[in-house]
Amino acid sequence: MNRLSRTLLLDVVAPLAVFYGLRAAGASPLAALVAGAVLPLAGAARDLAARRRPDGVRLFVLAVMASTVAASLITGSPRALLVRSAVLMAALGVFLLLTRRSFLYTAAHTVLPPDKQRIWQDNWDRHPPFRRVLSLLGTVWAAGCLLDAAIRLTLALTLPVDSVPALDAALLVVTLILLMLIQRTFGRAYLNRHGLRLRGVVLEPYPQDRPSTPPPLARTGTPPPARTGTPPPARPRPDSAGPRP
């Protein structure tokens, strides 16, 4: 199981299963939400402890998880825990907005094997349109995350508690699919307009379409072909001196 699958299982599927399983067993919404938050909280703490130098992103995620659980327990309101996903998505959107120029490049460079990393870096160094399109797409991802966060906050504060966790997961899927479609469509069209095409990780010149009709022949100095057939008889030439006597 790869890292993405483990993350989805631990942070999305398992909390949903715990929450709705406990609700079906008669637990209160607050107890079910707290129990569902334990798994991603424990996973974040384990990842943080496994690193010699904890990074700021993991510390922030862990702090948000812990604070929302504590707020829910103190206030007795499950909605304080429901806004956790909105806070995390908004923070991700702000982070992407601040690092839009290099985020997508760095994210792809991190997961590529070493041989493809060199190709990816060469694309970044040699082709300004490649750098510009990644910056534009970083802005698109930031805007998408901020819009997603606003929708999550509205859902958490207005809808029944039991429906919010499932809608949160569905919204995550929809947001990712839409952003990836926009990235693929817009990114490919932008590169094509600048004469480039991305095949895998290799950026190469985009083949231009050949004209459908042949170009007109250039004029040359060749004279037109001579006419064929019998030439007309020559007129008799008048003799100005006249016949001799």
Side-chain angles (χ1 to χ4, degrees):
M1 184 181 298
N2 57 32
R3 183 177 180 180
L4 179 60
S5 300
R6 289 196 301 269
T7 300
L8 291 175
L9 180 62
L10 184 64
D11 294 343
V12 179
V13 178
L16 281 177
V18 171
F19 173 77
Y20 287 108
L22 290 178
R23 287 293 290 148
S28 67
L30 179 59
L33 283 173
V34 171
V38 168
L39 290 176
L41 186 61
R46 183 193 61 189
D47 291 342
L48 192 62
R51 290 177 171 265
R52 295 181 179 180
R53 294 182 179 180
D55 57 76
V57 175
R58 292 178 184 273
L59 285 173
F60 175 78
V61 171
L62 187 60
V64 170
M65 289 182 176
S67 61
T68 52
V69 170
S72 294
L73 293 176
I74 292 173
T75 61
S77 172
R79 295 193 184 274
L81 191 55
L82 290 176
V83 300
R84 176 192 63 188
S85 60
V87 174
L88 291 174
M89 192 62 75
L92 178 60
V94 173
F95 175 77
L96 293 178
L97 194 61
L98 295 175
T99 60
R100 64 187 183 276
R101 177 174 173 79
S102 60
F103 171 76
L104 292 177
Y105 166 79
T106 304
H109 190 273
T110 302
V111 300
L112 290 173
D115 57 333
K116 293 184 178 181
Q117 286 180 357
R118 290 188 291 271
I119 299 174
W120 195 251
Q121 183 174 352
D122 184 66
N123 294 340
W124 178 270
D125 294 337
R126 293 179 54 196
H127 301 286
F130 182 70
R131 297 193 294 269
R132 287 196 296 269
V133 74
L134 289 185
S135 178
L136 291 172
L137 290 173
T139 305
V140 171
W141 274 85
C145 289
L146 292 174
L147 178 61
D148 179 280
I151 297 174
R152 289 177 187 276
L153 184 61
T154 303
L155 296 178
L157 297 180
T158 59
L159 294 184
V161 173
D162 285 344
S163 62
V164 174
L167 291 176
D168 263 357
L171 181 59
L172 176 63
V173 174
V174 172
T175 299
L176 291 178
I177 291 177
L178 287 177
L179 287 175
M180 287 188 289
L181 285 176
I182 294 173
Q183 173 179 313
R184 181 178 180 85
T185 304
F186 174 77
R188 179 176 296 178
Y190 186 91
L191 291 175
N192 291 350
R193 284 199 304 269
H194 289 79
L196 296 170
R197 177 175 62 179
L198 192 64
R199 296 175 65 90
V201 296
V202 178
L203 198 61
E204 60 184 23
Y206 184 73
Q208 301 295 328
D209 294 335
R210 296 182 177 179
S212 56
T213 57
L217 296 176
R219 293 185 177 180
T220 64
T222 305
R227 295 180 179 179
T228 59
T230 304
R235 288 183 178 182
R237 188 174 181 179
D239 192 351
S240 58
R244 292 182 179 180

PDB file of all heavy atoms in Angstrom, residues 12 32 41 66 93 111 114 155 160 165 175 177 208:
ATOM      1  N   VAL A  12      -9.524   9.517   6.042  1.00  0.00           N
ATOM      2  CA  VAL A  12     -10.859   9.691   5.468  1.00  0.00           C
ATOM      3  C   VAL A  12     -11.761   8.490   5.754  1.00  0.00           C
ATOM      4  O   VAL A  12     -12.837   8.632   6.341  1.00  0.00           O
ATOM      5  CB  VAL A  12     -10.768   9.931   3.941  1.00  0.00           C
ATOM      6  CG1 VAL A  12     -12.168  10.092   3.349  1.00  0.00           C
ATOM      7  CG2 VAL A  12      -9.921  11.169   3.643  1.00  0.00           C
ATOM      8  N   ALA A  32     -18.831  10.131  19.072  1.00  0.00           N
ATOM      9  CA  ALA A  32     -18.483   9.472  17.809  1.00  0.00           C
ATOM     10  C   ALA A  32     -17.455  10.301  17.021  1.00  0.00           C
ATOM     11  O   ALA A  32     -16.521   9.748  16.435  1.00  0.00           O
ATOM     12  CB  ALA A  32     -19.742   9.252  16.981  1.00  0.00           C
ATOM     13  N   LEU A  41      -5.343  11.718  14.373  1.00  0.00           N
ATOM     14  CA  LEU A  41      -4.513  12.418  15.347  1.00  0.00           C
ATOM     15  C   LEU A  41      -3.316  11.561  15.741  1.00  0.00           C
ATOM     16  O   LEU A  41      -2.180  12.040  15.807  1.00  0.00           O
ATOM     17  CB  LEU A  41      -5.338  12.779  16.576  1.00  0.00           C
ATOM     18  CG  LEU A  41      -4.663  13.637  17.651  1.00  0.00           C
ATOM     19  CD1 LEU A  41      -4.259  14.985  17.077  1.00  0.00           C
ATOM     20  CD2 LEU A  41      -5.596  13.820  18.835  1.00  0.00           C
ATOM     21  N   ALA A  66      -5.601  18.683  17.473  1.00  0.00           N
ATOM     22  CA  ALA A  66      -5.674  18.661  18.937  1.00  0.00           C
ATOM     23  C   ALA A  66      -6.559  19.780  19.464  1.00  0.00           C
ATOM     24  O   ALA A  66      -7.357  19.572  20.409  1.00  0.00           O
ATOM     25  CB  ALA A  66      -4.266  18.773  19.518  1.00  0.00           C
ATOM     26  N   GLY A  93      -4.974  26.347   1.335  1.00  0.00           N
ATOM     27  CA  GLY A  93      -5.169  27.328   0.282  1.00  0.00           C
ATOM     28  C   GLY A  93      -4.244  28.528   0.431  1.00  0.00           C
ATOM     29  O   GLY A  93      -3.671  29.009  -0.550  1.00  0.00           O
ATOM     30  N   VAL A 111       8.050  13.276  -5.728  1.00  0.00           N
ATOM     31  CA  VAL A 111       7.563  11.905  -5.905  1.00  0.00           C
ATOM     32  C   VAL A 111       8.157  11.220  -7.131  1.00  0.00           C
ATOM     33  O   VAL A 111       7.953  10.021  -7.311  1.00  0.00           O
ATOM     34  CB  VAL A 111       6.020  11.897  -6.010  1.00  0.00           C
ATOM     35  CG1 VAL A 111       5.398  12.463  -4.753  1.00  0.00           C
ATOM     36  CG2 VAL A 111       5.558  12.702  -7.223  1.00  0.00           C
ATOM     37  N   PRO A 114      14.755   9.460  -9.438  1.00  0.00           N
ATOM     38  CA  PRO A 114      15.888  10.375  -9.702  1.00  0.00           C
ATOM     39  C   PRO A 114      16.093  10.707 -11.173  1.00  0.00           C
ATOM     40  O   PRO A 114      16.390  11.858 -11.513  1.00  0.00           O
ATOM     41  CB  PRO A 114      17.084   9.608  -9.130  1.00  0.00           C
ATOM     42  CG  PRO A 114      16.506   8.744  -8.064  1.00  0.00           C
ATOM     43  CD  PRO A 114      15.164   8.335  -8.567  1.00  0.00           C
ATOM     44  N   LEU A 155     -21.240  24.009   5.601  1.00  0.00           N
ATOM     45  CA  LEU A 155     -21.839  22.711   5.914  1.00  0.00           C
ATOM     46  C   LEU A 155     -21.753  22.401   7.407  1.00  0.00           C
ATOM     47  O   LEU A 155     -22.719  21.915   8.013  1.00  0.00           O
ATOM     48  CB  LEU A 155     -21.136  21.609   5.113  1.00  0.00           C
ATOM     49  CG  LEU A 155     -21.255  21.657   3.597  1.00  0.00           C
ATOM     50  CD1 LEU A 155     -20.456  20.519   2.963  1.00  0.00           C
ATOM     51  CD2 LEU A 155     -22.703  21.603   3.142  1.00  0.00           C
ATOM     52  N   PRO A 160     -27.320  19.212   9.626  1.00  0.00           N
ATOM     53  CA  PRO A 160     -27.313  18.275  10.751  1.00  0.00           C
ATOM     54  C   PRO A 160     -25.947  17.614  10.917  1.00  0.00           C
ATOM     55  O   PRO A 160     -25.260  17.306   9.937  1.00  0.00           O
ATOM     56  CB  PRO A 160     -28.388  17.248  10.369  1.00  0.00           C
ATOM     57  CG  PRO A 160     -29.298  17.981   9.440  1.00  0.00           C
ATOM     58  CD  PRO A 160     -28.429  18.931   8.684  1.00  0.00           C
ATOM     59  N   PRO A 165     -19.971  14.666   8.155  1.00  0.00           N
ATOM     60  CA  PRO A 165     -18.772  13.875   7.825  1.00  0.00           C
ATOM     61  C   PRO A 165     -18.811  13.251   6.433  1.00  0.00           C
ATOM     62  O   PRO A 165     -17.803  13.276   5.705  1.00  0.00           O
ATOM     63  CB  PRO A 165     -18.735  12.808   8.930  1.00  0.00           C
ATOM     64  CG  PRO A 165     -19.430  13.453  10.078  1.00  0.00           C
ATOM     65  CD  PRO A 165     -20.530  14.257   9.466  1.00  0.00           C
ATOM     66  N   THR A 175     -13.664  18.133  -5.188  1.00  0.00           N
ATOM     67  CA  THR A 175     -12.667  19.200  -5.323  1.00  0.00           C
ATOM     68  C   THR A 175     -11.419  18.695  -6.038  1.00  0.00           C
ATOM     69  O   THR A 175     -10.896  19.348  -6.950  1.00  0.00           O
ATOM     70  CB  THR A 175     -12.294  19.752  -3.943  1.00  0.00           C
ATOM     71  OG1 THR A 175     -13.469  20.311  -3.322  1.00  0.00           O
ATOM     72  CG2 THR A 175     -11.229  20.836  -4.058  1.00  0.00           C
ATOM     73  N   ILE A 177     -11.081  16.079  -8.067  1.00  0.00           N
ATOM     74  CA  ILE A 177     -11.351  15.735  -9.462  1.00  0.00           C
ATOM     75  C   ILE A 177     -11.429  16.997 -10.322  1.00  0.00           C
ATOM     76  O   ILE A 177     -10.831  17.070 -11.408  1.00  0.00           O
ATOM     77  CB  ILE A 177     -12.646  14.910  -9.578  1.00  0.00           C
ATOM     78  CG1 ILE A 177     -12.437  13.517  -8.967  1.00  0.00           C
ATOM     79  CG2 ILE A 177     -13.080  14.789 -11.036  1.00  0.00           C
ATOM     80  CD1 ILE A 177     -13.685  12.665  -8.964  1.00  0.00           C
ATOM     81  N   GLN A 208       3.511  21.401 -35.285  1.00  0.00           N
ATOM     82  CA  GLN A 208       2.519  22.278 -35.894  1.00  0.00           C
ATOM     83  C   GLN A 208       1.801  21.558 -37.022  1.00  0.00           C
ATOM     84  O   GLN A 208       2.376  20.720 -37.713  1.00  0.00           O
ATOM     85  CB  GLN A 208       3.208  23.544 -36.436  1.00  0.00           C
ATOM     86  CG  GLN A 208       3.943  24.334 -35.363  1.00  0.00           C
ATOM     87  CD  GLN A 208       2.998  24.900 -34.325  1.00  0.00           C
ATOM     88  OE1 GLN A 208       1.859  25.236 -34.660  1.00  0.00           O
ATOM     89  NE2 GLN A 208       3.450  25.013 -33.085  1.00  0.00           N
TER      90      GLN A 208
END
